[in-house]
Amino acid sequence: MFTHILVPIDGSAHSLKAAGVAIDLALKYGSRLTFLHVTRRFPVPEKLKEYLSAEQLQGEQLYALDEATEKVMADVKAEAEAKGIAGVKMRVKEGKPSRTIVEYAANHAVDAIVMGSRGLTDIEAALLGSVSHKVSSLAACTVVVTR
Ligand SMILES: Nc1ncnc2c1ncn2[C@@H]1O[C@H](COP(=O)(O)OP(=O)(O)OP(=O)(O)O)[C@@H](O)[C@H]1O
Ligand SMILES: [Mg+2]
């Protein structure tokens, strides 16, 4: 049914739930599994940049940010492998989340995207986050939105 499942991870509990569903589907269908996190470079004020470089902290600060997300990614990968899925991939890309997820799917023969209905912002009134809304509208493949 599905040969390659993509799971976009933003580190939220919603995305972890999606990972659990994706692992189950991958076991059922013998699918390949890829976890993808999309980062955005945030603008650092000039004053802060000066301080960071004077203290030689620039690299460390950026790396520390990615490390937290990488740990979440490593945990879901370990869970997938513990359940018997081989060849699980982790990818981190920079860009606009929805566009990057849709492009990754198109370029890597992904036939299902499994993602949370909401993510880190998690506004109670919103039924769908903007990333899940855009991806489910724009992707050419099946999109499973977990809740
Ligand atoms: N930067 C990201 N990288 C990878 N996946 C992401 C990213 N952001 C969101 N996702 C995926 O999209 C799902 C829905 O998150 P989304 O960002 O749409 O909701 P939100 O954070 O509640 O609202 P919004 O970001 O629109 O304010 C997440 O559970 C996750 O699977
Ligand atoms: Mg979000």
Side-chain angles (χ1 to χ4, degrees):
M1 183 70 166
F2 301 126
T3 58
H4 186 188
I5 299 175
L6 179 66
V7 190
I9 298 281
D10 63 355
S12 67
H14 295 284
S15 68
L16 295 183
K17 174 160 186 195
V21 171
I23 289 168
D24 261 30
L25 287 173
L27 280 172
K28 181 168 164 65
Y29 295 115
S31 328
R32 287 190 291 134
L33 201 53
T34 301
F35 296 106
L36 171 67
H37 175 67
V38 184
T39 61
R40 262 180 142 162
R41 226 184 256 282
F42 58 92
V44 180
E46 281 308 314
K47 279 280 167 219
L48 179 59
K49 260 191 216 160
E50 281 167 28
Y51 168 78
L52 290 175
S53 71
E55 298 289 324
Q56 300 187 326
L57 284 174
Q58 204 155 15
E60 257 178 71
Q61 291 285 316
L62 294 176
Y63 185 70
L65 260 189
D66 280 352
E67 213 174 22
T69 317
E70 271 180 29
K71 179 171 179 345
V72 173
M73 300 277 280
D75 286 350
V76 288
K77 182 173 189 263
E79 186 191 334
E81 283 168 349
K83 291 202 171 149
I85 301 171
V88 180
K89 278 194 204 151
M90 291 200 300
R91 291 290 178 266
V92 179
K93 298 215 169 276
E94 207 180 286
K96 190 182 171 215
S98 52
R99 186 185 307 162
T100 307
I101 292 164
V102 170
E103 278 175 11
Y104 189 94
N107 294 335
H108 294 83
V110 166
D111 44 18
I113 299 171
V114 181
M115 65 196 303
S117 56
R118 295 187 312 194
L120 286 173
T121 308
D122 198 9
I123 295 171
E124 217 173 308
L127 297 175
L128 272 185
S130 60
V131 179
S132 41
H133 178 235
K134 283 183 198 143
V135 170
S136 52
S137 308
L138 297 173
C141 65
T142 297
V143 179
V144 178
V145 175
T146 61
R147 195 164 266 135

